[in-house]
Amino acid sequence: MSATMTAPAARLPAYSLFAAVLSGAGLPIYIYAPKFYADTYGVSLATLAVVLFALRLFDVVQDPVLGWISERLGNLRALAVSLGGGLLALSMYGLFAVSPPVAPVIWFALTITGLFSAFSFLTINFYAQGIEKAGTLDGGHTQLAAWRETGALLGVCVAAVTPTLLTGIVPAPFAVFAASFAGIAVIATALMLPEWSGGVTREPTGIKAILQDNVARRLLLLALVNATPLAVSSTLFLFFVESRLQAPGSDGPLLVLFFLAAALSAPLWAKLAGRFGEKPTLLGAMTLAIAAFGFVLTLGVGDVWLFAIICVASGATIGADLTLLPAMFAKRMAQVSPNGGQGFGLWSLVSKFTLAFAAVMLLPLLDFVGFQSGATDNPEIALTTLTILYALVPCALKLVAIALLAATNLEE
């Protein structure tokens, strides 16, 4: 391998760590934050759902604007990313470690807006820079995606289990988690600084040109539909384990099993894609996901070990989604929008919208049927509704995603 290949490749661990920080600030916060504010401050699930949905409406405007800014930062990219990393750390600390100085729902809205605005800006720049990075690697986008998404999935594992592990050991587990996250975020941002030198200098591409591209448009739609099942199951995971399985305290280890299986499977999916192609590999993984997750419908009280097996099997299939889809989109952006800022602004918006959709549709519905977080005597209709929403809805959405991918011609 040439020197030009070796030097950038040596910094791939920095990409993994940065991806781990970003992922730790994403999905786990949607899993923990609503339940934390409901249990700690008594904020209703319906109210929290409204806040999360309003934030996503804000993202409709914000994320494309952040993409536009990203493409025009030039030599200021390193400074802008450093400021974004600082905002991410401070917002996480404020969300979990600071007693609300105002009404809890207002504090929730302020801190989570800061957190996800920083998350969006950093994610857009990170994936856009990846287009440039992939051009220096022998394995291209797939090699970079394997490093990046493996780091991201390991970050999710750590963020998902840490609050549970700290419970009973320290008096304020979420505060300790938030403080630790802030410190690691600063380190990860510093290690990535050499990657931003000079910024991206190619001619910016407008959103209109990206949306006019049939393949890019279809991949964005596929990302929206395919990510929604994970958003649904993530939003309801803690409630399902606590109330349907009646296994409080098992949520942390089960989350780790799920995301660790996804992380360990990511390099395997990358190799399979290199041999058989990304589309056939992803179609196979999505089909296996339905086969594995469908068994959740049969579970009841005490079926923790069976659920653990399902977590491993379904987590392994999610590794394909999180590795191959971003790589496929990045490949297309390299042709349509080489700067990547606007394209990944849309990608970030789509990814986050699925979580908002899940929150605004599911949490009020659970409220309506009488479900209470932490209660030991939820009515049977509430538990049945929880099971259907958690297991059946994701499988149905996955079928739609399979149909979309099968109808998408990636060779156009």
Side-chain angles (χ1 to χ4, degrees):
M1 186 181 291
S2 67
T4 57
M5 294 289 183
T6 303
R11 289 198 295 270
L12 283 173
Y15 274 77
S16 288
L17 180 60
F18 198 78
V21 168
L22 289 179
S23 66
L27 196 57
I29 306 310
Y30 266 94
I31 295 174
Y32 280 118
K35 193 172 191 303
F36 176 78
Y37 271 76
D39 292 349
T40 307
Y41 303 113
V43 183
S44 75
L45 293 178
T47 302
L48 293 169
V50 170
V51 172
L52 291 172
F53 188 71
L55 178 58
R56 293 293 78 85
L57 292 180
F58 175 60
D59 285 335
V60 170
V61 176
Q62 174 185 245
D63 284 9
V65 170
L66 291 178
W68 184 90
I69 293 172
S70 171
E71 292 188 339
R72 290 159 175 81
L73 285 172
N75 291 327
L76 294 176
R77 185 180 294 269
L79 174 62
V81 168
S82 298
L83 293 174
L87 177 60
L88 188 79
L90 288 173
S91 298
M92 181 71 82
Y93 188 81
L95 181 65
F96 288 117
V98 176
S99 296
V102 293
V105 68
I106 295 176
W107 186 245
F108 175 82
L110 291 174
T111 52
I112 208 163
T113 298
L115 181 72
F116 284 116
S117 294
F119 171 86
S120 292
F121 180 72
L122 294 173
T123 299
I124 290 166
N125 281 278
F126 184 51
Y127 278 83
Q129 195 73 27
I131 295 177
E132 295 284 321
K133 181 73 171 182
T136 69
L137 302 174
D138 283 341
H141 292 283
T142 303
Q143 181 189 3
L144 177 60
W147 277 86
R148 184 178 57 208
E149 308 311 330
T150 298
L153 289 164
L154 289 174
V156 169
C157 291
V158 173
V161 74
T162 298
T164 302
L165 291 179
L166 291 174
T167 300
I169 300 176
V170 296
F174 279 94
V176 174
F177 162 74
S180 302
F181 175 91
I184 296 171
V186 171
I187 294 171
T189 301
L191 291 176
M192 273 293 292
L193 280 177
E195 294 296 306
W196 313 116
S197 298
V200 178
T201 57
R202 295 179 180 175
E203 187 67 24
T205 304
I207 289 179
K208 183 178 179 181
I210 296 170
L211 294 179
Q212 284 178 337
D213 181 76
N214 185 53
V215 175
R217 188 171 62 248
R218 185 64 68 90
L219 286 173
L220 285 168
L221 178 60
L222 176 61
L224 175 66
V225 176
N226 191 55
T228 304
L230 180 58
V232 169
S233 58
S234 298
T235 301
L236 300 179
F237 182 88
L238 296 181
F239 304 115
F240 183 83
V241 173
E242 181 181 65
S243 299
R244 178 76 276 183
L245 300 183
Q246 292 187 15
S250 300
D251 43 17
L254 289 169
L255 277 172
V256 168
L257 279 177
F258 179 82
F259 288 114
L260 188 59
L264 294 177
S265 71
L268 174 62
W269 293 118
K271 288 183 179 179
L272 290 174
R275 181 173 181 181
F276 299 107
E278 290 160 339
K279 182 177 176 178
T281 301
L282 188 55
L283 280 171
M286 293 162 73
T287 303
L288 290 174
I290 296 176
F293 205 67
F295 283 103
V296 173
L297 287 167
T298 67
L299 301 184
V301 176
D303 289 333
V304 179
W305 285 107
L306 290 174
F307 187 60
I309 295 171
I310 293 171
C311 285
V312 172
S314 58
T317 64
I318 291 298
D321 291 349
L322 300 180
T323 300
L324 300 183
L325 266 179
M328 292 159 67
F329 188 71
K331 277 186 180 180
R332 195 59 183 176
M333 287 301 97
Q335 301 176 39
V336 177
S337 178
N339 266 337
Q342 295 278 52
F344 280 105
L346 292 171
W347 188 265
S348 174
L349 173 62
V350 164
S351 300
K352 290 191 300 181
F353 185 81
T354 61
L355 290 163
F357 168 81
V360 79
M361 295 298 293
L362 305 177
L363 298 182
L365 183 55
L366 287 178
D367 242 7
F368 177 76
V369 295
F371 179 82
Q372 293 291 323
S373 175
T376 58
D377 57 348
N378 276 299
E380 188 59 34
I381 187 175
L383 295 177
T384 300
T385 302
L386 174 62
T387 302
I388 291 173
L389 293 177
Y390 180 74
L392 187 59
V393 171
C395 289
L397 289 168
K398 206 72 174 180
L399 284 172
V400 177
I402 289 174
L404 278 171
L405 178 57
T408 300
N409 181 7
L410 297 177
E411 303 303 321
E412 288 184 8

